[in-house]
Amino acid sequence: MAAKTERTFIAIKPDGVQRGLVGEIIKRFEQKGFRLVALKFLQASEELLKQHYIDLKDRPFYPGLVKYMGSGPVVAMVWEGLNAVKTGRVMLGETNPADSKPGTIRGDLCIEVGRNIIHGSDSVDSANKEINLWFKAEELVSFKSCAYDWIYE
């Protein structure tokens, strides 16, 4: 199992923080069986956000996205587990909440794409890049959860 274990970067956006959804979102990842290995509550700098969304810099919504993400605090997290990136994306739902299924975070908790409350890495490569951008290596905690053997065969 260890070879298939991966880490993903998840960020609760300012709208999710302001609406008091941090606990609900963390609860969903914990209940799924993923292990939280890093967490920060911060006001992200414009420089950090521009770097995070660098792949979108040529899109017309880029300036507004960077401004919005800097409009309030965010919760940056790293979750670890089997297929954490793919499963995390499924848990989030579609980027546009209107296209998200009930039971997903966006399907249950938000309405508009511009206020879709959460970001999740879309690939293992992106996850590694985002984790390294938001966290120092020493901020990632490695441990074996006592529930590990009850989650994995």
Side-chain angles (χ1 to χ4, degrees):
M1 205 296 288
K4 296 179 184 176
T5 297
E6 60 194 28
R7 290 178 171 171
T8 190
F9 175 78
I10 301 291
I12 303 172
K13 297 177 180 181
D15 52 325
V17 172
Q18 291 290 342
R19 292 180 54 208
L21 299 173
V22 173
E24 172 66 26
I25 291 167
I26 290 173
K27 176 184 170 184
R28 288 181 184 223
F29 280 87
E30 285 182 326
Q31 286 181 332
K32 181 69 176 178
F34 290 131
R35 182 174 49 164
L36 182 64
V37 296
L39 182 141
K40 283 184 183 178
F41 182 61
L42 72 151
Q43 180 78 39
S45 69
E46 182 177 354
E47 180 181 321
L48 173 61
L49 294 168
K50 283 183 173 180
Q51 189 61 40
H52 178 83
Y53 289 112
I54 193 74
D55 295 343
L56 303 174
K57 71 178 179 184
D58 296 327
R59 305 291 290 268
F61 58 82
Y62 175 76
L65 175 61
V66 170
K67 182 179 177 184
Y68 164 69
M69 287 295 293
S71 70
V74 298
V75 176
M77 300 173 283
V78 179
W79 291 92
E80 184 177 81
L82 180 65
N83 298 315
V85 173
K86 180 180 178 182
T87 304
R89 294 287 292 188
V90 171
M91 290 172 64
L92 267 58
E94 300 299 321
T95 301
N96 185 345
D99 298 331
S100 296
K101 294 180 178 170
T104 64
I105 292 168
R106 291 176 177 149
D108 290 349
L109 303 174
C110 54
I111 296 171
E112 286 199 70
V113 69
R115 298 292 182 265
N116 67 4
I117 72 173
I118 194 164
H119 165 85
S121 301
D122 61 5
S123 70
V124 173
D125 287 341
S126 292
N128 291 331
K129 181 183 127 202
E130 292 169 351
I131 290 166
N132 290 329
L133 181 63
W134 288 79
F135 293 93
K136 297 174 189 162
E138 61 270 17
E139 294 175 314
L140 303 172
V141 179
S142 292
F143 68 101
K144 182 177 177 183
S145 167
C146 61
Y148 181 89
D149 293 328
W150 297 107
I151 296 169
Y152 296 106
E153 297 182 78

